[in-house]
């Protein structure tokens, strides 16, 4: 591990940065793409397909003009985009023409992380992988190969690996994102919320956003409905240490002290209960342990919360009353990327309890019941069963309430060799150096591996450490698994190729099939090509294949999504009711009602670093996209103007950030602003790339993940906090 | 003849820049340039703040200084819509129009001529909305004929408080911001 | 407290306008000098028409010199054009609202006037040409021999010079978007500055241009016609003193106009006051106070005063300083002017 971290990662602070302004361009830079354009018939061709710029998965219509990918517009038939994509979707054109795309399969030469590669054929790459996998299987069993993934394209690869005997799979969408929310809601209502969240913003009469920064966080449908809510002039309450875009539209902005949201939520519950503003009928009929809940939150008064949160008691009362007055069409947004402080499941549970008090479960203007659409499965052979437990959370003992794979759990197992060694990683479409906090641990884990395969479209940070890099085509060049969407109405979306692959990139399904063949299990994916697979599923579901190809989106049958329209209330909890008091939490030694703990205080001269999103970028995936790079080239560290003045910082100047463990970031511009609490700093995460192969993103801004050397693990489900680090400023020499 | 204009609701706009990137792909705007952009103005002191977010571009002024200063007639007013356009093969690249524009809406295209927002004339002459308007996820922009009292833009201007940018420049801009 | 962020970052436009760098100041400066020379030359022609000695340096040699300078200016202008191959488009149209269109056409006329004026002396300056094209000699004689024609040419030079001088200011002045330029005094200021620069340029030329009999050859003659004085005689002392006296007057007027420009801006709208601050106390203050006012006006004023008073010997230094100041004036006005912009008045 030493050589890895020393060589590139922690040493980044000492590197010299010219931040050479690489000329960004999004013209076709490759001969293949140019040739394709030259051969193409003149005129405009349109192809409907669904987007993969983020995981909201809107459907769009790609326009190809004279063989050139021209633009990507929303598909009006799509319930997600409603005909309008977000900037990342619109900028998808740039991902196709990105000059830095991976082009050929690569095998590592020399030390890991040295970035010395040999370009090989696909067959050579598969032979190499199969050979290494075979050796791992012989020595440690197939369970020693794990897969970390994030994207709809993971399906076929997962199936191939499962068929080979692998059992350890995890996506950062759970333990680094929405996991605590879904568990918190499941513990309360018996079911999580899933994606897209069934938030009825379009019909709500009062909306509270806790850290959720819609407008900067561009979850398309929600942003569209948020704008409608603004237009309807309903009371909006935004709780955020930062004057977010959403806060600027709100009736109430509560500039809360970071990490104290749970205190506010409990105080809101307290007010609703004490002032009798909650939905008594709902609670009486469906609540479990309400009296014990009331007793537990008795002391969580607004006055108490004011001390913790920095929000005055009168505002806490006023906002609680706004929420209560509008119920049941009153909505506290459950959030999405909620892994903040390590107590996130309990905080999410407090939101769930608040929702229960508002009686908005399954109600118009609250949280509706998402409807889906039945689509026939393809009869794939069942993978073999393993007698070993999953490594990340053996028999659910580490994290009793986790219901998905835990990425950091797999990393822990790789590091410790317990419960058994993990010797191979497949990393699909996620940059673990950004997705997981504790990057030093990721590097240490990589050092334990005999095989690291990275499948991606771009030379990500993690790909820099890979043994084998497999270049995938972008979503604009491939078929993919069908999207069966859940929402106010179920729907089915198709992804299909718009453009030819510019080089030797391949789609995930092809990679999976070839790998399976090389592993000697070709029968696990028993279709000739993906069109056959998709066509089977679609036609089996009674939908014409040609119609789906032409329309891109097919809507499912309408179903009631509100209780008032006849949707049934049912709670899949142990008590069969809404659990205000959770016996199962108590049984495992956790707080049966969320209990607030004050966040740790920063050392003198340090500030808590909080992070968020920019509307034009997704995680660390899009910074190099020439179009999106042009919109936002680097992140800034937001510092309150008064704080900046005290620290001798001027807006626009570059500084480095040093965290409590001495890790120093790449240089980042100061945004001296009134828009943030004086005791907090903020940055958009996903920037500060250190691979030269990303010519646009290289050394632009600072990486929040690099500074996240400290994190708290949510004991309920394994989520990792991202707001546990403190930083101070290091001025540029 | 219609007189095209735009009305943008700053209350709804979130400044996501979708309008910017949609313009870039629609119009093949070269990398590193933009024909439209986002301006954010924050007033007040923490925590008493107000913020206005605006999607800005050429105002297609009724009294366009860029047109009057052009020595060749490359900058001109075109129908339908009375929009301000630049004819690339008449432009000598003297940049007087760039200096004359109080909104800094123009730039020199890498090919040498001066370029700027066309209100997507290739679309709007056929009755479509400009790309920026059509893409906006918040539906904060409306486009239409300011001289038609029944148009959405006219109705919005009648019913909502609004302002234009730098009215003191006397250019009579045709983009209005609802507040 | 107002925080403004703009996502636009177009080259040459952001963070502040910089579409014109050195070329336009050179063009305006050359235009200004030529304007000054034409007026001074025109005045001399009127005197010659009255019977003064026509062989004085300033009367008839200046058009050739001005012809050279205007080429330098036009060259700079051409270099500034971003779409050079389409430059001919200017002369396919006349745009009555466009100062630049007016300027382009006026410059054609200026060219004509300068050539006609140069013709007066050309056969002597370039004997080879005079012999080959005897009609030139005939024309030259026709002009020099007729006080009426000489007067006409003189007035043409004066009027065109004044037009050209004011035009260099009007070009900027009409742009409402740049408050620093929004003063009607810019035209007169540039005109007077052009006059002082024109006088200084001739002064410098009279000192530095070689004095030899005109060479006989084709090439040598052509070059010497452009860069050499006629004859071995230095300009008369009286003429030089007149020039200096005139320059003192020009500089004094220029100083007053410059002061008026600043006061005019400062007492105008907020945008104009902010624009004035750019040159008075902002990033261009060093160039404004140090180079334009101190070096370019006050120093030559003092030096020339002392020269006339015979307290110090005649040198070319004041003239050189005037030229430096004249260029600095255009450079500062063009660059600071681009950086100036209308201050947002619209509230939330």
């Amino acid at each position: 591990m030493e050589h890895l971290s020393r060589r590139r990662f922690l040493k980044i602070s000492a590197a010299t940065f010219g931040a050479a302004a690489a000329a960004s361009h999004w013209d076709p830079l490759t001969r293949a793409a140019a040739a394709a354009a030259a051969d193409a018939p003149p005129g405009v061709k349109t192809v409907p397909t669904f987007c993969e710029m983020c995981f909201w998965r809107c459907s769009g219509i790609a326009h190809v003009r004279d063989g050139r990918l021209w633009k990507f517009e929303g598909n009006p038939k799509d319930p997600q985009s409603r005909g309008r994509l977000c900037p990342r979707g619109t900028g998808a054109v740039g991902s196709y023409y990105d000059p830095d795309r991976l082009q050929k399969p690569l095998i590592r030469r020399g030390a890991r992380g040295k970035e010395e590669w040999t370009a090989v054929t696909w067959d050579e790459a598969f032979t190499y992988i199969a050979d290494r996998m075979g050796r791992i299987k012989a020595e440690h069993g197939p369970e020693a190969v794990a897969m970390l993934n994030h994207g709809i394209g993971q399906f076929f690869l997962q199936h191939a690996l499962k068929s080979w005997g692998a059992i350890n799979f995890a996506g950062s969408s759970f333990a680094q994102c929405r996991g605590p929310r879904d568990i918190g809601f499941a513990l309360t209502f018996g079911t999580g919320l899933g994606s897209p969240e069934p938030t009825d913003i379009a019909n709500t009469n009062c909306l509270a956003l806790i850290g959720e920064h819609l407008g900067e966080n561009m979850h398309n449908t929600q942003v569209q409905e948020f704008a409608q809510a603004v237009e309807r002039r309903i009371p909006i309450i935004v709780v955020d240490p930062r004057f977010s875009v959403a806060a600027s539209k709100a009736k109430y902005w509560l500039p809360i002290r970071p990490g104290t949201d749970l205190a506010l939520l409990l105080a809101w519950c307290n007010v609703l209960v004490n002032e009798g503003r909650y939905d008594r009928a709902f609670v009486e009929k469906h609540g479990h342990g309400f009296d014990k809940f009331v007793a537990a939150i008795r002391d969580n008064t607004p006055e108490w919360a004011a001390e913790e949160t920095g929000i005055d008691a009168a505002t806490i009362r006023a906002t609680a009353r706004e929420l209560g007055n509008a119920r049941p069409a009153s909505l506290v947004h459950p959030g999405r990327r909620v892994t903040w402080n390590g107590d996130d499941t309990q905080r999410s549970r407090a939101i769930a309890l608040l929702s229960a008090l508002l009686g908005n479960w399954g109600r118009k203007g609250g949280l509706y019941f998402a409807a889906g659409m039945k689509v026939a499965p393809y009869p794939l052979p069942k993978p073999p069963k393993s007698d070993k437990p999953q490594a990340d959370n053996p028999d659910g003992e580490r994290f009793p309430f986790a219901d998905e794979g835990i990425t950091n759990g797999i990393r822990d197992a790789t590091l410790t060799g317990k419960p058994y060694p993990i010797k191979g990683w497949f990393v699909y479409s996620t940059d673990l150096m950004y997705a997981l906090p504790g990057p030093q641990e990721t590097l240490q884990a990589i050092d334990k591996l005999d095989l690291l395969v990275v499948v991606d479209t771009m030379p990500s940070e993690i790909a820099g450490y890979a043994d084998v890099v497999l270049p995938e085509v972008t979503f604009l060049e491939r078929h993919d698994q069908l999207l069966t969407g859940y929402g106010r109405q179920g729907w089915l979306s198709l992804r299909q190729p718009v453009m030819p692959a510019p080089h030797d990139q391949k789609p995930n399904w092809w990679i999976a099939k070839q790998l399976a063949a090389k592993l000697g299990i070709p029968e696990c994916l028993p279709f000739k090509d993906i069109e056959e697979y998709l066509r089977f599923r679609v036609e089996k579901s009674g939908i014409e294949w040609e119609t789906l190809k032409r329309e891109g989106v097919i809507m499912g049958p309408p179903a009631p999504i509100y209780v008032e329209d006849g949707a049934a209330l049912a709670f899949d909890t142990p008590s069969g009711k809404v659990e205000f008091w959770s016996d199962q939490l108590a049984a495992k030694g956790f707080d049966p009602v969320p209990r607030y703990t004050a966040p740790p205080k920063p050392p003198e001269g340090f500030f808590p670093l909080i992070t968020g999103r920019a509307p034009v970028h997704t995680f660390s995936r899009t910074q190099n996209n020439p179009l999106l790079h042009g919109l936002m080239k680097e992140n800034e560290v937001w510092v309150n103007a008064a704080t900046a003045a005290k620290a001798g910082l001027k807006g626009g100047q570059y500084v480095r950030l040093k965290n409590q463990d001495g890790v120093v970031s790449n240089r980042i511009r100061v945004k001296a602003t009134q828009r943030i609490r004086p005791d907090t700093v903020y940055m958009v995460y996903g920037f500060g790339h250190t691979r030269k192969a990303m010519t646009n993103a290289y050394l632009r801004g600072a990486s929040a993940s690099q500074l996240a050397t400290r994190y708290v693990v949510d004991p309920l489900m394994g989520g990792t906090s991202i707001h546990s680090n403190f930083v101070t400023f290091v001025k540029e020499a | 003849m219609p007189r095209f204009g735009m009305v943008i609701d700053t209350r709804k706009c979130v400044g996501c820049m979708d309008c910017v990137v949609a313009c870039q792909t629609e119009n093949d705007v070269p990398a590193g340039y933009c024909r439209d952009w986002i301006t954010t103005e924050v007033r007040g002191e923490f925590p008493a703040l107000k913020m206005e977010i605006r999607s800005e571009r050429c105002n297609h002024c009724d009294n366009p200084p860029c047109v009057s200063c052009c020595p060749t007639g490359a900058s001109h007013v075109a129908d339908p819509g009375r929009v301000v356009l630049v004819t690339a093969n008449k432009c000598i690249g003297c940049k007087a129009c760039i200096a004359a524009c109080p909104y800094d809406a123009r730039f020199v295209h890498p090919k040498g001529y001066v370029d700027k927002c066309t209100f997507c004339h290739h679309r709007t002459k056929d009755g479509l909305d400009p790309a920026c308007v059509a893409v906006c996820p918040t539906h904060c922009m409306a486009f239409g004929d300011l001289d038609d009292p029944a148009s959405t833009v006219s109705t919005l201007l009648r019913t909502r408080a609004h302002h234009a940018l730098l009215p003191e420049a006397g250019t009579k801009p045709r983009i209005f911001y609802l507040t | 407290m107002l925080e403004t962020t703009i996502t636009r970052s177009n080259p040459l436009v952001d963070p502040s306008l910089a579409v014109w760098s050195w070329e336009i100041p050179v063009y305006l400066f050359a235009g200004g000098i030529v304007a000054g020379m034409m007026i001074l030359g025109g005045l001399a022609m009127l005197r010659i028409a009255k019977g003064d000695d026509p062989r004085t340096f300033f009367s008839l040699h200046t058009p050739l010199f001005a012809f050279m300078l205007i080429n330098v200016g036009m060259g700079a202008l051409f270099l500034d054009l971003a779409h050079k191959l389409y430059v001919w488009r200017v002369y396919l149209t006349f745009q009555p609202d466009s100062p630049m269109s007016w300027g382009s056409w006026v410059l054609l006329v200026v060219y004509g006037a300068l050539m006609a004026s140069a013709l007066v002396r050309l056969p002597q300056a370039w004997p080879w040409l005079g012999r080959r094209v005897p009609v030139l000699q005939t024309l030259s004689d026709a002009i020099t021999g007729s006080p009426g024609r000489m007067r006409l040419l003189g007035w043409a030079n004066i009027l065109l010079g004044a037009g050209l001088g004011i035009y260099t200011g009007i070009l900027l002045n009409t742009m409402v978007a740049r408050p620093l330029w929004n003063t009607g005094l810019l035209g007169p200021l540039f005109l007077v500055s052009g006059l002082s620069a024109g006088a200084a340029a001739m002064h410098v030329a009279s000192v530095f241009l070689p004095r030899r009999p005109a060479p006989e050859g084709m090439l040598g003659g052509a070059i010497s016609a452009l860069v050499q004085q006629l004859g071995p005689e230095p300009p008369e002392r009286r003429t030089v003193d007149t020039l200096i006296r005139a320059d003192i007057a020009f500089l004094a007027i220029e100083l007053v106009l410059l002061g008026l420009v600043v006061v005019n801006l400062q007492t105008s709208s907020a945008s104009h006051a902010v624009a004035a601050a750019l040159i008075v106390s902002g990033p261009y203050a060093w160039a404004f106070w140090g180079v334009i006012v101190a070096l370019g006006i006050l120093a030559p004023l003092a030096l020339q005063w002392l020269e006339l008073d015979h307290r110090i010997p005649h040198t070319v230094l004041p003239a050189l300083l005037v030229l430096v100041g004249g260029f600095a004036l255009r450079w500062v006005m063009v660059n600071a002017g681009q950086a100036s912009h209308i201050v947002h008045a619209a509230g939330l």
Side-chain angles (χ1 to χ4, degrees), chain A residues 65 71 84-85 90 249, chain B residues 11 13 18 26 28 136-137:
Chain A
R65 186 173 55 189
K71 58 179 173 176
R84 293 170 182 236
L85 295 175
T90 309
K249 318 272 179 203
Chain B
R11 293 173 55 88
C13 176
D18 208 359
E26 176 72 32
D28 286 323
C136 177

Side-chain angles (χ1 to χ4, degrees), chain A residues 444-500:
Chain A
Q444 288 164 356
I446 290 173
D447 245 14
K448 306 264 184 192
L449 297 176
D450 294 336
L451 175 65
L452 172 56
V453 180
V454 172
V455 186
D456 212 320
T457 61
M458 294 298 297
S460 59
E461 298 277 335
I462 187 83
Y465 296 98
D467 301 316
V468 186
V469 180
L470 300 179
E472 197 189 6
V473 290
T474 70
F475 79 91
L476 290 159
E477 301 142 68
R478 69 187 196 227
H479 281 104
D480 230 319
Q481 182 58 285
L482 291 172
L483 172 63
T484 47
Y486 289 80
R488 293 193 175 91
Q489 203 174 328
W491 79 95
L492 173 67
S493 293
L494 177 68
R495 176 170 291 155
Q496 52 187 335
V498 178
M499 297 291 290

Side-chain angles (χ1 to χ4, degrees), chain C:
Chain C
M1 196 76 81
L2 173 66
E3 268 175 55
T4 306
T5 49
I6 302 177
T7 65
R8 189 190 58 218
S9 63
N10 285 332
L12 303 183
V13 177
D14 299 295
S16 71
L17 196 70
V19 285
W20 291 331
S21 70
W22 61 269
E23 297 94 338
I24 295 299
V26 165
Y27 164 67
L28 296 180
F29 187 44
I33 298 176
V34 169
M37 284 180 159
M38 288 180 82
I39 294 171
L40 294 175
L43 286 170
M45 287 177 193
L46 294 187
R47 304 246 327 242
I48 291 165
K50 277 190 180 163
D52 273 19
D53 179 5
R55 279 180 309 155
T56 49
F57 171 85
F58 303 101
S59 58
L60 297 177
H61 196 86
T62 45
L64 275 175
F65 195 37
F67 183 76
M68 239 171 35
L69 272 174
I70 199 108
N71 283 331
V72 169
M74 294 299 275
L77 177 65
F78 182 73
L79 284 181
D80 180 70
L81 296 183
H83 217 206
K84 294 186 174 59
L85 295 179
Y86 295 80
V87 63
W88 49 274
R89 283 288 191 174
V90 173
Y91 293 111
L92 286 193
T93 178
F94 173 67
Q95 300 288 327
D97 291 339
S98 162
M100 203 172 262
S101 185
W102 275 98
S104 305
W105 286 105
V106 165
L107 276 167
L108 273 195
V109 184
V110 164
Y111 259 108
L114 284 177
M115 283 198 276
S117 310
L119 199 58
V120 173
R121 208 59 170 160
L122 197 62
Q124 283 149 281
W126 193 1
W128 180 88
L129 190 69
R131 284 199 303 278
R132 294 297 158 105
V133 191
V135 67
L136 289 179
Q137 188 65 58
T138 316
L139 280 172
S140 177
D141 291 344
I143 296 171
T144 44
S146 151
R149 292 194 186 113
M150 194 58 119
R151 203 176 301 122
L152 195 66
L153 197 57
W155 278 114
N157 270 288
I158 291 167
L159 290 176
L160 282 169
L164 181 61
I166 291 174
Y167 157 72
T168 59
I170 295 288
L171 180 65
L172 302 179
N173 179 226
T174 51
M175 293 181 183
V176 180
R178 312 294 150 194
L180 187 64
W181 300 338
N182 295 163
T183 166
L185 295 167
L186 207 61
L189 173 66
F190 276 21
L191 176 63
V192 175
S193 163
L195 280 165
S196 74
M202 293 191 296
H203 192 158
V204 171
S206 74
V207 172
F208 286 115
L209 292 189
R211 298 170 223 276
R212 269 186 247 109
E216 286 298 308
M218 175 176 79
L219 211 59
I223 293 169
S224 73
L226 292 174
V227 300
Q228 185 173 315
Q229 292 187 45
L230 282 179
E233 301 301 321
E236 280 178 49
R237 182 56 189 264
R238 184 174 62 91
T239 322
V240 173
D241 279 357
T242 308
L243 261 185
I244 290 175
R245 260 186 223 103
D247 203 30
I248 287 176
F250 296 148
L251 288 173
I253 298 170
E254 190 182 342
L255 192 61
V256 171
L257 283 173
L258 207 52
L260 286 175
V261 164
V262 170
V263 170
N264 188 213
L265 288 169
Q266 280 176 333
T267 55
S268 199
S269 79
S271 303
H272 295 95
V274 170
L278 279 174
I279 55 171
V280 175
S281 56
Y284 293 91
W286 65 272
F288 181 76
W289 293 113
V291 184
I292 299 174
V293 176
L295 277 182
I297 298 178
L298 294 179
L301 258 182
L303 289 172
Q304 289 181 330
W305 190 269
L306 294 174
E307 283 177 8
L308 281 184
D309 223 21
H310 301 291
R311 296 207 214 164
I312 54 171
H314 267 299
T315 64
V316 75
L317 183 65
L320 288 174
L321 288 175
V322 165
L323 289 178
V324 168
F327 177 71
L329 175 67
R330 274 109 186 140
W331 185 85
V332 166
M333 290 311 283
V334 167
N335 285 284
Q338 290 182 87
S340 73
H341 55 86
I342 301 176
V343 178
H344 268 289
L348 285 176

Side-chain angles (χ1 to χ4, degrees), chain A residues 23 104 141 151 162 169 199 331 334 436 616 636 638 677 683 723:
Chain A
K104 286 177 181 335
K162 280 178 188 166
F169 298 88
T199 49
L331 179 64
L436 297 184
V616 298
E636 296 169 303
W638 294 39
R677 285 175 65 92
M683 69 161 79
H723 291 168

